[in-house]
Amino acid sequence: MVHEWALAESIATYLSEKHGGRAFNKIVIGVGILQSIDLDILDFALRELLNQYNVKVAKIEYRTIEVELKCRACGYSWKLLPEELGAEASEMIHFIPEAIHSFIKCPRCGSRDYEVLKGRGIYIEEISYDEE
């Protein structure tokens, strides 16, 4: 729960400091599956903090970003479904993202040398507001 509040505070602070005084029509937030974020808690925290920072947002949308990996050894790319991780691995990766290499191997060659192309982190994808 603390993790979601910290992320929500970063978003609210950014919107307040970089776009202060604006009323937003919509913001879209991308959330990587590897982040293991509870969207209900994030949404509650974000709305509370935006209210405290006096930032008006008419609509908040969340877009889940699938996990996509690419093996550095053989070049194979694949997607990882959340249910393939299991509860223990998800918890470890939530706190230490690099731990994914301990749990997942390339399905083609078995290498643990791969990069995470998508599915990690949280970021603002879109901000819309009326021009004045």
Side-chain angles (χ1 to χ4, degrees):
M1 182 171 185
V2 172
H3 191 73
E4 285 82 359
W5 276 90
L7 293 169
E9 185 161 19
S10 294
I11 295 167
T13 299
Y14 172 79
L15 292 173
S16 175
E17 291 180 357
K18 298 293 183 185
H19 302 276
R22 291 191 185 272
F24 300 94
N25 297 327
K26 180 173 81 172
I27 59 171
V28 179
I29 299 170
V31 180
I33 289 175
L34 288 178
Q35 201 69 29
S36 297
I37 294 296
D38 184 319
L39 288 179
D40 290 336
I41 294 173
L42 177 66
D43 188 62
F44 175 78
L46 184 55
R47 291 179 191 281
E48 288 293 316
L49 290 165
L50 289 172
N51 192 37
Q52 287 180 17
Y53 289 25
N54 201 26
V55 176
K56 306 293 183 211
V57 179
K59 185 175 184 180
I60 302 172
E61 291 181 2
Y62 298 92
R63 190 171 76 86
T64 301
I65 310 297
E66 293 182 337
V67 179
E68 188 174 325
L69 309 167
K70 183 175 183 180
C71 182
R72 291 185 180 113
C74 71
Y76 184 70
S77 295
W78 75 102
K79 291 185 178 182
L80 182 67
L81 301 173
E83 55 269 16
E84 293 178 88
L85 289 173
E88 180 184 353
S90 292
E91 182 79 7
M92 289 293 295
I93 294 167
H94 173 73
F95 290 107
I96 307 168
E98 290 74 21
I100 190 171
H101 297 278
S102 300
F103 297 99
I104 305 296
K105 295 188 274 187
C106 173
R108 179 184 279 171
C109 72
S111 174
R112 294 184 189 273
D113 184 15
Y114 53 83
E115 61 183 309
V116 179
L117 299 175
K118 295 180 182 175
R120 184 193 247 170
I122 178 169
Y123 51 91
I124 299 171
E125 286 188 335
E126 179 185 331
I127 299 173
S128 65
Y129 50 84
D130 294 327
E131 295 291 333
E132 295 178 31

